[in-house]
Amino acid sequence: VLSTRGRHLAVTMFDVRIGAGTLGRGGLVRDVTGAREVEQMKDHLIGMAAHEFKTPVTALRMRVESLLRVDAQWSEAFRDELLHGMLDDVGRLQMLVSDWLDVARIESGGLRLALDAVPVARLLKAAVDAVRPQGEFSVQIDVPDHLQAVLDAQRMQQVLINLLSNAVRYCNRPPAVVLRAWRDASGWLLIQVEDNGIGIPAEDQARVFDRFFQVARGNTRRPGGTGLGLAIARGIVVAHGGSIDLASVPGEGSVFTLRLPPPADEPAKDTP
Ligand code: ATP
Ligand code: MG
């Protein structure tokens, strides 16, 4: 394989024969840049996965080794602490595996949606309840009671939980979240998650939806995430035929907006 100016060319040489005699050498040049790029991306993904798995696996091993030490007389309380730590490690691994599978499904276009009519208010409230245990936050839900939507409730829940967890996680004062949903004049469903968090610098705003991208925060340690949440959220929203975008002012907060198309069999009310 030859590489020049960002392109990769695979060259195959062969003899050209006529009857018993050799006429000369021939060459076949194929541009394999695309295949090369896919290969490099795969290597990168595998590297990232291995790296993310290492920490919880190492921690799990150390805790198991501690419990197995025959010479140690652990107190009941300490054994308990070790076991709970192990439970957390396993939970982290399970989350990585399921995020990982979601990314693979999204990439291969294999994400299956189970569409159903759902009350949007209930969807939003359930997402808030699911995020509550992650930390105290104040929330204002602004949604018409009767608002319904046809979507995959479980998947959309996953999207909202992702956005809400981020709102709570990337905040350096008591988190205050506003959740809004409404249908616009052409029948599209809009859902907004607004926070008062640290915000996202303009130059990073397009990249936060990329797999593994995390905003560099100077010397602060990254808070446990993998950088897959928004990539998965976008994949799910796009599978619904929608889009997700972001407006953010560093130091003030961020607003994520989901746009979901009107149900196909139910044309928007204002169309003739
Ligand atoms: P994961 O969601 O996989 O646990 P993560 O939260 O780091 O990890 P994403 O949800 O994809 O990954 O977010 C990517 C990055 O975007 C975050 O690491 C953070 O730097 C930034 N970010 C996301 N949401 C917000 C927000 N509401 N406010 C400020 N920064 C945010
Ligand atoms: Mg996240």
Side-chain angles (χ1 to χ4, degrees):
V1 176
L2 293 173
S3 301
T4 75
R5 287 195 222 119
R7 303 213 68 80
H8 301 289
L9 307 172
V11 184
T12 315
M13 300 298 294
F14 47 87
D15 289 330
V16 180
R17 294 206 178 92
I18 292 183
T22 301
L23 200 64
R25 297 275 288 165
L28 179 69
V29 180
R30 274 177 309 135
D31 187 330
V32 292
T33 310
R36 256 297 158 106
E37 279 167 3
V38 169
E39 235 169 76
Q40 280 170 353
M41 200 176 76
K42 272 193 186 151
D43 288 349
H44 174 72
L45 282 183
I46 291 169
M48 292 298 276
H51 179 76
E52 292 295 334
F53 276 85
K54 226 178 195 157
T55 312
V57 168
T58 306
L60 187 58
R61 189 193 167 99
M62 278 170 18
R63 291 183 166 119
V64 172
E65 281 174 351
S66 301
L67 279 179
L68 285 177
R69 270 178 56 182
V70 281
D71 55 322
Q73 301 284 313
W74 303 129
S75 70
E76 194 72 6
F78 187 66
R79 282 176 45 119
D80 227 52
E81 199 184 305
L82 285 175
L83 285 168
H84 278 103
M86 286 162 66
L87 197 59
D88 290 346
D89 296 335
V90 172
R92 177 89 197 116
L93 288 170
Q94 281 180 317
M95 221 165 66
L96 278 171
V97 171
S98 83
D99 277 0
W100 203 255
L101 288 174
D102 284 344
V103 168
R105 281 192 197 105
I106 288 165
E107 303 270 301
S108 68
L111 191 71
R112 296 250 172 287
L113 297 180
L115 297 180
D116 236 326
V118 273
V120 177
R122 196 200 292 166
L123 189 78
L124 301 189
K125 286 193 186 104
V128 169
D129 289 342
V131 177
R132 273 277 181 240
Q134 294 182 18
E136 236 355 270
F137 61 101
S138 90
V139 61
Q140 178 191 330
I141 300 181
D142 198 349
V143 50
D145 283 336
H146 58 271
L147 188 60
Q148 292 253 338
V150 175
L151 42 77
D152 185 324
Q154 219 169 330
R155 287 296 185 184
M156 204 48 73
Q157 184 92 319
Q158 189 182 353
V159 171
L160 294 172
I161 290 174
N162 257 314
L163 295 176
L164 289 170
S165 315
N166 285 347
V168 175
R169 192 189 274 169
Y170 304 108
C171 204
N172 49 17
R173 51 184 152 174
V177 179
V178 184
L179 257 178
R180 288 183 204 94
W182 71 98
R183 219 172 258 294
D184 74 4
S186 26
W188 284 66
L189 176 71
L190 279 84
I191 302 178
Q192 266 183 351
V193 182
E194 182 181 333
D195 68 50
N196 62 339
I198 56 180
I200 297 168
E203 66 269 24
D204 290 333
Q205 289 180 12
R207 293 166 68 199
V208 291
F209 296 101
D210 292 349
R211 283 174 315 221
F212 299 115
F213 182 82
Q214 297 186 300
V215 176
R217 308 276 185 203
N219 54 6
T220 50
R221 287 186 55 214
R222 54 175 220 158
T226 311
L228 290 178
L230 288 176
I232 294 170
R234 183 179 59 181
I236 292 171
V237 171
V238 167
H240 279 82
S243 64
I244 179 169
D245 63 53
L246 154 69
S248 183
V249 179
E252 286 182 24
S254 310
V255 184
F256 286 85
T257 305
L258 313 182
R259 286 187 175 75
L260 298 168
D265 52 342
E266 232 178 85
K269 291 213 172 54
D270 59 339
T271 54

PDB file of all heavy atoms in Angstrom, residues 209-242:
ATOM      1  N   PHE A 209     -21.642  16.148  20.091  1.00  0.00           N
ATOM      2  CA  PHE A 209     -22.476  15.018  19.655  1.00  0.00           C
ATOM      3  C   PHE A 209     -21.634  13.883  19.066  1.00  0.00           C
ATOM      4  O   PHE A 209     -22.162  12.846  18.705  1.00  0.00           O
ATOM      5  CB  PHE A 209     -23.513  15.478  18.627  1.00  0.00           C
ATOM      6  CG  PHE A 209     -24.499  16.470  19.192  1.00  0.00           C
ATOM      7  CD1 PHE A 209     -24.359  17.825  18.947  1.00  0.00           C
ATOM      8  CD2 PHE A 209     -25.549  16.049  19.988  1.00  0.00           C
ATOM      9  CE1 PHE A 209     -25.250  18.744  19.477  1.00  0.00           C
ATOM     10  CE2 PHE A 209     -26.453  16.950  20.534  1.00  0.00           C
ATOM     11  CZ  PHE A 209     -26.299  18.306  20.280  1.00  0.00           C
ATOM     12  N   ASP A 210     -20.315  14.102  18.953  1.00  0.00           N
ATOM     13  CA  ASP A 210     -19.437  13.042  18.444  1.00  0.00           C
ATOM     14  C   ASP A 210     -19.171  12.015  19.541  1.00  0.00           C
ATOM     15  O   ASP A 210     -19.108  12.369  20.718  1.00  0.00           O
ATOM     16  CB  ASP A 210     -18.085  13.620  17.999  1.00  0.00           C
ATOM     17  CG  ASP A 210     -18.214  14.498  16.774  1.00  0.00           C
ATOM     18  OD1 ASP A 210     -19.303  14.478  16.152  1.00  0.00           O
ATOM     19  OD2 ASP A 210     -17.238  15.201  16.452  1.00  0.00           O
ATOM     20  N   ARG A 211     -18.981  10.761  19.124  1.00  0.00           N
ATOM     21  CA  ARG A 211     -18.646   9.722  20.099  1.00  0.00           C
ATOM     22  C   ARG A 211     -17.387  10.100  20.850  1.00  0.00           C
ATOM     23  O   ARG A 211     -16.409  10.535  20.243  1.00  0.00           O
ATOM     24  CB  ARG A 211     -18.332   8.409  19.378  1.00  0.00           C
ATOM     25  CG  ARG A 211     -19.508   7.657  18.887  1.00  0.00           C
ATOM     26  CD  ARG A 211     -18.979   6.506  18.083  1.00  0.00           C
ATOM     27  NE  ARG A 211     -17.908   6.985  17.204  1.00  0.00           N
ATOM     28  CZ  ARG A 211     -17.744   6.605  15.961  1.00  0.00           C
ATOM     29  NH1 ARG A 211     -18.523   5.725  15.442  1.00  0.00           N
ATOM     30  NH2 ARG A 211     -16.762   7.087  15.236  1.00  0.00           N
ATOM     31  N   PHE A 212     -17.408   9.912  22.154  1.00  0.00           N
ATOM     32  CA  PHE A 212     -16.252  10.074  23.041  1.00  0.00           C
ATOM     33  C   PHE A 212     -15.793  11.506  23.238  1.00  0.00           C
ATOM     34  O   PHE A 212     -14.838  11.749  23.954  1.00  0.00           O
ATOM     35  CB  PHE A 212     -15.050   9.250  22.568  1.00  0.00           C
ATOM     36  CG  PHE A 212     -15.320   7.785  22.526  1.00  0.00           C
ATOM     37  CD1 PHE A 212     -15.315   7.094  21.330  1.00  0.00           C
ATOM     38  CD2 PHE A 212     -15.626   7.097  23.687  1.00  0.00           C
ATOM     39  CE1 PHE A 212     -15.583   5.746  21.294  1.00  0.00           C
ATOM     40  CE2 PHE A 212     -15.886   5.748  23.658  1.00  0.00           C
ATOM     41  CZ  PHE A 212     -15.864   5.063  22.458  1.00  0.00           C
ATOM     42  N   PHE A 213     -16.460  12.469  22.580  1.00  0.00           N
ATOM     43  CA  PHE A 213     -15.973  13.833  22.763  1.00  0.00           C
ATOM     44  C   PHE A 213     -16.382  14.369  24.126  1.00  0.00           C
ATOM     45  O   PHE A 213     -17.539  14.292  24.522  1.00  0.00           O
ATOM     46  CB  PHE A 213     -16.487  14.760  21.662  1.00  0.00           C
ATOM     47  CG  PHE A 213     -15.935  16.154  21.829  1.00  0.00           C
ATOM     48  CD1 PHE A 213     -14.674  16.468  21.378  1.00  0.00           C
ATOM     49  CD2 PHE A 213     -16.668  17.124  22.501  1.00  0.00           C
ATOM     50  CE1 PHE A 213     -14.136  17.737  21.571  1.00  0.00           C
ATOM     51  CE2 PHE A 213     -16.147  18.398  22.701  1.00  0.00           C
ATOM     52  CZ  PHE A 213     -14.879  18.706  22.238  1.00  0.00           C
ATOM     53  N   GLN A 214     -15.420  14.904  24.858  1.00  0.00           N
ATOM     54  CA  GLN A 214     -15.711  15.579  26.123  1.00  0.00           C
ATOM     55  C   GLN A 214     -14.973  16.905  26.125  1.00  0.00           C
ATOM     56  O   GLN A 214     -13.827  16.980  25.673  1.00  0.00           O
ATOM     57  CB  GLN A 214     -15.261  14.709  27.303  1.00  0.00           C
ATOM     58  CG  GLN A 214     -16.033  13.388  27.337  1.00  0.00           C
ATOM     59  CD  GLN A 214     -15.733  12.564  28.567  1.00  0.00           C
ATOM     60  OE1 GLN A 214     -14.610  12.183  28.794  1.00  0.00           O
ATOM     61  NE2 GLN A 214     -16.764  12.289  29.358  1.00  0.00           N
ATOM     62  N   VAL A 215     -15.638  17.922  26.608  1.00  0.00           N
ATOM     63  CA  VAL A 215     -15.018  19.242  26.653  1.00  0.00           C
ATOM     64  C   VAL A 215     -13.859  19.217  27.651  1.00  0.00           C
ATOM     65  O   VAL A 215     -14.014  18.736  28.772  1.00  0.00           O
ATOM     66  CB  VAL A 215     -16.050  20.308  27.076  1.00  0.00           C
ATOM     67  CG1 VAL A 215     -15.386  21.672  27.216  1.00  0.00           C
ATOM     68  CG2 VAL A 215     -17.201  20.358  26.069  1.00  0.00           C
ATOM     69  N   ALA A 216     -12.692  19.698  27.221  1.00  0.00           N
ATOM     70  CA  ALA A 216     -11.537  19.766  28.121  1.00  0.00           C
ATOM     71  C   ALA A 216     -11.803  20.852  29.157  1.00  0.00           C
ATOM     72  O   ALA A 216     -12.196  21.962  28.813  1.00  0.00           O
ATOM     73  CB  ALA A 216     -10.284  20.094  27.319  1.00  0.00           C
ATOM     74  N   ARG A 217     -11.638  20.510  30.448  1.00  0.00           N
ATOM     75  CA  ARG A 217     -11.948  21.470  31.510  1.00  0.00           C
ATOM     76  C   ARG A 217     -10.714  21.765  32.336  1.00  0.00           C
ATOM     77  O   ARG A 217     -10.685  21.520  33.539  1.00  0.00           O
ATOM     78  CB  ARG A 217     -13.030  20.935  32.443  1.00  0.00           C
ATOM     79  CG  ARG A 217     -14.288  20.455  31.774  1.00  0.00           C
ATOM     80  CD  ARG A 217     -15.243  21.593  31.504  1.00  0.00           C
ATOM     81  NE  ARG A 217     -16.497  21.043  30.970  1.00  0.00           N
ATOM     82  CZ  ARG A 217     -17.338  21.741  30.240  1.00  0.00           C
ATOM     83  NH1 ARG A 217     -17.077  22.989  29.932  1.00  0.00           N
ATOM     84  NH2 ARG A 217     -18.447  21.196  29.780  1.00  0.00           N
ATOM     85  N   GLY A 218      -9.676  22.244  31.705  1.00  0.00           N
ATOM     86  CA  GLY A 218      -8.476  22.617  32.433  1.00  0.00           C
ATOM     87  C   GLY A 218      -8.010  21.510  33.354  1.00  0.00           C
ATOM     88  O   GLY A 218      -7.886  20.357  32.928  1.00  0.00           O
ATOM     89  N   ASN A 219      -7.788  21.840  34.633  1.00  0.00           N
ATOM     90  CA  ASN A 219      -7.236  20.840  35.541  1.00  0.00           C
ATOM     91  C   ASN A 219      -8.304  20.042  36.281  1.00  0.00           C
ATOM     92  O   ASN A 219      -7.983  19.164  37.048  1.00  0.00           O
ATOM     93  CB  ASN A 219      -6.281  21.515  36.541  1.00  0.00           C
ATOM     94  CG  ASN A 219      -6.972  22.668  37.257  1.00  0.00           C
ATOM     95  OD1 ASN A 219      -8.181  22.860  37.076  1.00  0.00           O
ATOM     96  ND2 ASN A 219      -6.239  23.412  38.044  1.00  0.00           N
ATOM     97  N   THR A 220      -9.599  20.354  36.026  1.00  0.00           N
ATOM     98  CA  THR A 220     -10.633  19.598  36.737  1.00  0.00           C
ATOM     99  C   THR A 220     -10.715  18.185  36.170  1.00  0.00           C
ATOM    100  O   THR A 220     -10.651  17.990  34.964  1.00  0.00           O
ATOM    101  CB  THR A 220     -12.025  20.255  36.603  1.00  0.00           C
ATOM    102  OG1 THR A 220     -12.245  20.513  35.229  1.00  0.00           O
ATOM    103  CG2 THR A 220     -12.114  21.531  37.406  1.00  0.00           C
ATOM    104  N   ARG A 221     -10.879  17.220  37.066  1.00  0.00           N
ATOM    105  CA  ARG A 221     -10.957  15.833  36.605  1.00  0.00           C
ATOM    106  C   ARG A 221     -12.298  15.590  35.956  1.00  0.00           C
ATOM    107  O   ARG A 221     -13.306  16.135  36.360  1.00  0.00           O
ATOM    108  CB  ARG A 221     -10.743  14.886  37.780  1.00  0.00           C
ATOM    109  CG  ARG A 221      -9.282  14.878  38.203  1.00  0.00           C
ATOM    110  CD  ARG A 221      -9.028  13.841  39.266  1.00  0.00           C
ATOM    111  NE  ARG A 221      -9.473  12.526  38.820  1.00  0.00           N
ATOM    112  CZ  ARG A 221      -9.987  11.635  39.646  1.00  0.00           C
ATOM    113  NH1 ARG A 221     -10.139  11.911  40.903  1.00  0.00           N
ATOM    114  NH2 ARG A 221     -10.369  10.454  39.193  1.00  0.00           N
ATOM    115  N   ARG A 222     -12.327  14.747  34.935  1.00  0.00           N
ATOM    116  CA  ARG A 222     -13.589  14.531  34.244  1.00  0.00           C
ATOM    117  C   ARG A 222     -14.508  13.675  35.117  1.00  0.00           C
ATOM    118  O   ARG A 222     -14.071  12.748  35.781  1.00  0.00           O
ATOM    119  CB  ARG A 222     -13.385  13.893  32.882  1.00  0.00           C
ATOM    120  CG  ARG A 222     -12.587  12.615  32.934  1.00  0.00           C
ATOM    121  CD  ARG A 222     -12.535  11.979  31.588  1.00  0.00           C
ATOM    122  NE  ARG A 222     -12.668  10.536  31.774  1.00  0.00           N
ATOM    123  CZ  ARG A 222     -13.067   9.718  30.849  1.00  0.00           C
ATOM    124  NH1 ARG A 222     -13.403  10.178  29.677  1.00  0.00           N
ATOM    125  NH2 ARG A 222     -13.150   8.436  31.069  1.00  0.00           N
ATOM    126  N   PRO A 223     -15.779  14.017  35.131  1.00  0.00           N
ATOM    127  CA  PRO A 223     -16.679  13.405  36.099  1.00  0.00           C
ATOM    128  C   PRO A 223     -17.282  12.082  35.643  1.00  0.00           C
ATOM    129  O   PRO A 223     -18.490  11.941  35.530  1.00  0.00           O
ATOM    130  CB  PRO A 223     -17.756  14.474  36.281  1.00  0.00           C
ATOM    131  CG  PRO A 223     -17.733  15.257  35.004  1.00  0.00           C
ATOM    132  CD  PRO A 223     -16.425  15.028  34.335  1.00  0.00           C
ATOM    133  N   GLY A 224     -16.446  11.121  35.357  1.00  0.00           N
ATOM    134  CA  GLY A 224     -16.951   9.766  35.198  1.00  0.00           C
ATOM    135  C   GLY A 224     -17.587   9.377  33.891  1.00  0.00           C
ATOM    136  O   GLY A 224     -17.707   8.205  33.590  1.00  0.00           O
ATOM    137  N   GLY A 225     -18.004  10.329  33.055  1.00  0.00           N
ATOM    138  CA  GLY A 225     -18.686   9.965  31.813  1.00  0.00           C
ATOM    139  C   GLY A 225     -17.762   9.372  30.776  1.00  0.00           C
ATOM    140  O   GLY A 225     -16.548   9.307  30.960  1.00  0.00           O
ATOM    141  N   THR A 226     -18.363   8.922  29.684  1.00  0.00           N
ATOM    142  CA  THR A 226     -17.609   8.284  28.613  1.00  0.00           C
ATOM    143  C   THR A 226     -17.622   9.135  27.356  1.00  0.00           C
ATOM    144  O   THR A 226     -16.817   8.925  26.455  1.00  0.00           O
ATOM    145  CB  THR A 226     -18.272   6.924  28.277  1.00  0.00           C
ATOM    146  OG1 THR A 226     -18.494   6.212  29.478  1.00  0.00           O
ATOM    147  CG2 THR A 226     -17.401   6.101  27.367  1.00  0.00           C
ATOM    148  N   GLY A 227     -18.564  10.062  27.267  1.00  0.00           N
ATOM    149  CA  GLY A 227     -18.680  10.855  26.050  1.00  0.00           C
ATOM    150  C   GLY A 227     -19.541  10.187  24.999  1.00  0.00           C
ATOM    151  O   GLY A 227     -19.470  10.506  23.813  1.00  0.00           O
ATOM    152  N   LEU A 228     -20.389   9.237  25.436  1.00  0.00           N
ATOM    153  CA  LEU A 228     -21.262   8.551  24.475  1.00  0.00           C
ATOM    154  C   LEU A 228     -22.702   9.048  24.549  1.00  0.00           C
ATOM    155  O   LEU A 228     -23.476   8.871  23.620  1.00  0.00           O
ATOM    156  CB  LEU A 228     -21.232   7.040  24.721  1.00  0.00           C
ATOM    157  CG  LEU A 228     -19.925   6.337  24.371  1.00  0.00           C
ATOM    158  CD1 LEU A 228     -20.015   4.848  24.702  1.00  0.00           C
ATOM    159  CD2 LEU A 228     -19.583   6.521  22.901  1.00  0.00           C
ATOM    160  N   GLY A 229     -23.067   9.659  25.677  1.00  0.00           N
ATOM    161  CA  GLY A 229     -24.461  10.039  25.917  1.00  0.00           C
ATOM    162  C   GLY A 229     -25.092  10.835  24.787  1.00  0.00           C
ATOM    163  O   GLY A 229     -26.156  10.458  24.273  1.00  0.00           O
ATOM    164  N   LEU A 230     -24.449  11.899  24.373  1.00  0.00           N
ATOM    165  CA  LEU A 230     -25.048  12.753  23.344  1.00  0.00           C
ATOM    166  C   LEU A 230     -25.003  12.095  21.961  1.00  0.00           C
ATOM    167  O   LEU A 230     -25.893  12.320  21.141  1.00  0.00           O
ATOM    168  CB  LEU A 230     -24.359  14.118  23.304  1.00  0.00           C
ATOM    169  CG  LEU A 230     -24.671  15.048  24.487  1.00  0.00           C
ATOM    170  CD1 LEU A 230     -23.856  16.332  24.392  1.00  0.00           C
ATOM    171  CD2 LEU A 230     -26.161  15.379  24.538  1.00  0.00           C
ATOM    172  N   ALA A 231     -23.971  11.284  21.718  1.00  0.00           N
ATOM    173  CA  ALA A 231     -23.907  10.575  20.427  1.00  0.00           C
ATOM    174  C   ALA A 231     -25.090   9.613  20.314  1.00  0.00           C
ATOM    175  O   ALA A 231     -25.748   9.527  19.267  1.00  0.00           O
ATOM    176  CB  ALA A 231     -22.586   9.816  20.298  1.00  0.00           C
ATOM    177  N   ILE A 232     -25.393   8.923  21.412  1.00  0.00           N
ATOM    178  CA  ILE A 232     -26.526   7.991  21.416  1.00  0.00           C
ATOM    179  C   ILE A 232     -27.836   8.768  21.311  1.00  0.00           C
ATOM    180  O   ILE A 232     -28.733   8.410  20.549  1.00  0.00           O
ATOM    181  CB  ILE A 232     -26.489   7.101  22.682  1.00  0.00           C
ATOM    182  CG1 ILE A 232     -25.264   6.191  22.641  1.00  0.00           C
ATOM    183  CG2 ILE A 232     -27.771   6.288  22.808  1.00  0.00           C
ATOM    184  CD1 ILE A 232     -24.991   5.442  23.932  1.00  0.00           C
ATOM    185  N   ALA A 233     -27.918   9.867  22.066  1.00  0.00           N
ATOM    186  CA  ALA A 233     -29.137  10.685  22.020  1.00  0.00           C
ATOM    187  C   ALA A 233     -29.408  11.141  20.584  1.00  0.00           C
ATOM    188  O   ALA A 233     -30.522  11.033  20.082  1.00  0.00           O
ATOM    189  CB  ALA A 233     -28.993  11.895  22.942  1.00  0.00           C
ATOM    190  N   ARG A 234     -28.372  11.629  19.918  1.00  0.00           N
ATOM    191  CA  ARG A 234     -28.576  12.088  18.549  1.00  0.00           C
ATOM    192  C   ARG A 234     -29.003  10.927  17.647  1.00  0.00           C
ATOM    193  O   ARG A 234     -29.910  11.072  16.826  1.00  0.00           O
ATOM    194  CB  ARG A 234     -27.313  12.747  17.996  1.00  0.00           C
ATOM    195  CG  ARG A 234     -27.559  13.287  16.594  1.00  0.00           C
ATOM    196  CD  ARG A 234     -26.364  13.976  16.010  1.00  0.00           C
ATOM    197  NE  ARG A 234     -25.211  13.076  15.945  1.00  0.00           N
ATOM    198  CZ  ARG A 234     -24.034  13.430  15.486  1.00  0.00           C
ATOM    199  NH1 ARG A 234     -23.830  14.659  15.076  1.00  0.00           N
ATOM    200  NH2 ARG A 234     -23.038  12.573  15.476  1.00  0.00           N
ATOM    201  N   GLY A 235     -28.357   9.761  17.820  1.00  0.00           N
ATOM    202  CA  GLY A 235     -28.709   8.589  17.008  1.00  0.00           C
ATOM    203  C   GLY A 235     -30.184   8.233  17.154  1.00  0.00           C
ATOM    204  O   GLY A 235     -30.869   7.944  16.171  1.00  0.00           O
ATOM    205  N   ILE A 236     -30.679   8.272  18.381  1.00  0.00           N
ATOM    206  CA  ILE A 236     -32.081   7.916  18.644  1.00  0.00           C
ATOM    207  C   ILE A 236     -33.023   8.944  18.015  1.00  0.00           C
ATOM    208  O   ILE A 236     -34.018   8.593  17.378  1.00  0.00           O
ATOM    209  CB  ILE A 236     -32.327   7.794  20.161  1.00  0.00           C
ATOM    210  CG1 ILE A 236     -31.566   6.583  20.723  1.00  0.00           C
ATOM    211  CG2 ILE A 236     -33.821   7.687  20.461  1.00  0.00           C
ATOM    212  CD1 ILE A 236     -31.560   6.488  22.233  1.00  0.00           C
ATOM    213  N   VAL A 237     -32.685  10.226  18.165  1.00  0.00           N
ATOM    214  CA  VAL A 237     -33.547  11.278  17.634  1.00  0.00           C
ATOM    215  C   VAL A 237     -33.558  11.217  16.096  1.00  0.00           C
ATOM    216  O   VAL A 237     -34.610  11.334  15.463  1.00  0.00           O
ATOM    217  CB  VAL A 237     -33.084  12.666  18.139  1.00  0.00           C
ATOM    218  CG1 VAL A 237     -33.829  13.768  17.438  1.00  0.00           C
ATOM    219  CG2 VAL A 237     -33.299  12.758  19.646  1.00  0.00           C
ATOM    220  N   VAL A 238     -32.394  10.990  15.504  1.00  0.00           N
ATOM    221  CA  VAL A 238     -32.313  10.891  14.043  1.00  0.00           C
ATOM    222  C   VAL A 238     -33.107   9.675  13.546  1.00  0.00           C
ATOM    223  O   VAL A 238     -33.782   9.740  12.525  1.00  0.00           O
ATOM    224  CB  VAL A 238     -30.830  10.850  13.574  1.00  0.00           C
ATOM    225  CG1 VAL A 238     -30.728  10.444  12.115  1.00  0.00           C
ATOM    226  CG2 VAL A 238     -30.183  12.208  13.803  1.00  0.00           C
ATOM    227  N   ALA A 239     -33.059   8.564  14.297  1.00  0.00           N
ATOM    228  CA  ALA A 239     -33.839   7.378  13.923  1.00  0.00           C
ATOM    229  C   ALA A 239     -35.340   7.688  13.914  1.00  0.00           C
ATOM    230  O   ALA A 239     -36.117   7.065  13.202  1.00  0.00           O
ATOM    231  CB  ALA A 239     -33.542   6.220  14.869  1.00  0.00           C
ATOM    232  N   HIS A 240     -35.749   8.676  14.717  1.00  0.00           N
ATOM    233  CA  HIS A 240     -37.152   9.113  14.731  1.00  0.00           C
ATOM    234  C   HIS A 240     -37.434  10.103  13.600  1.00  0.00           C
ATOM    235  O   HIS A 240     -38.531  10.662  13.533  1.00  0.00           O
ATOM    236  CB  HIS A 240     -37.490   9.807  16.058  1.00  0.00           C
ATOM    237  CG  HIS A 240     -37.799   8.871  17.189  1.00  0.00           C
ATOM    238  ND1 HIS A 240     -36.826   8.267  17.952  1.00  0.00           N
ATOM    239  CD2 HIS A 240     -38.987   8.425  17.689  1.00  0.00           C
ATOM    240  CE1 HIS A 240     -37.391   7.513  18.873  1.00  0.00           C
ATOM    241  NE2 HIS A 240     -38.706   7.579  18.742  1.00  0.00           N
ATOM    242  N   GLY A 241     -36.443  10.405  12.787  1.00  0.00           N
ATOM    243  CA  GLY A 241     -36.629  11.379  11.714  1.00  0.00           C
ATOM    244  C   GLY A 241     -36.442  12.813  12.194  1.00  0.00           C
ATOM    245  O   GLY A 241     -36.799  13.762  11.500  1.00  0.00           O
ATOM    246  N   GLY A 242     -35.886  12.976  13.377  1.00  0.00           N
ATOM    247  CA  GLY A 242     -35.755  14.312  13.960  1.00  0.00           C
ATOM    248  C   GLY A 242     -34.329  14.806  14.028  1.00  0.00           C
ATOM    249  O   GLY A 242     -33.435  14.252  13.394  1.00  0.00           O
TER     250      GLY A 242
END
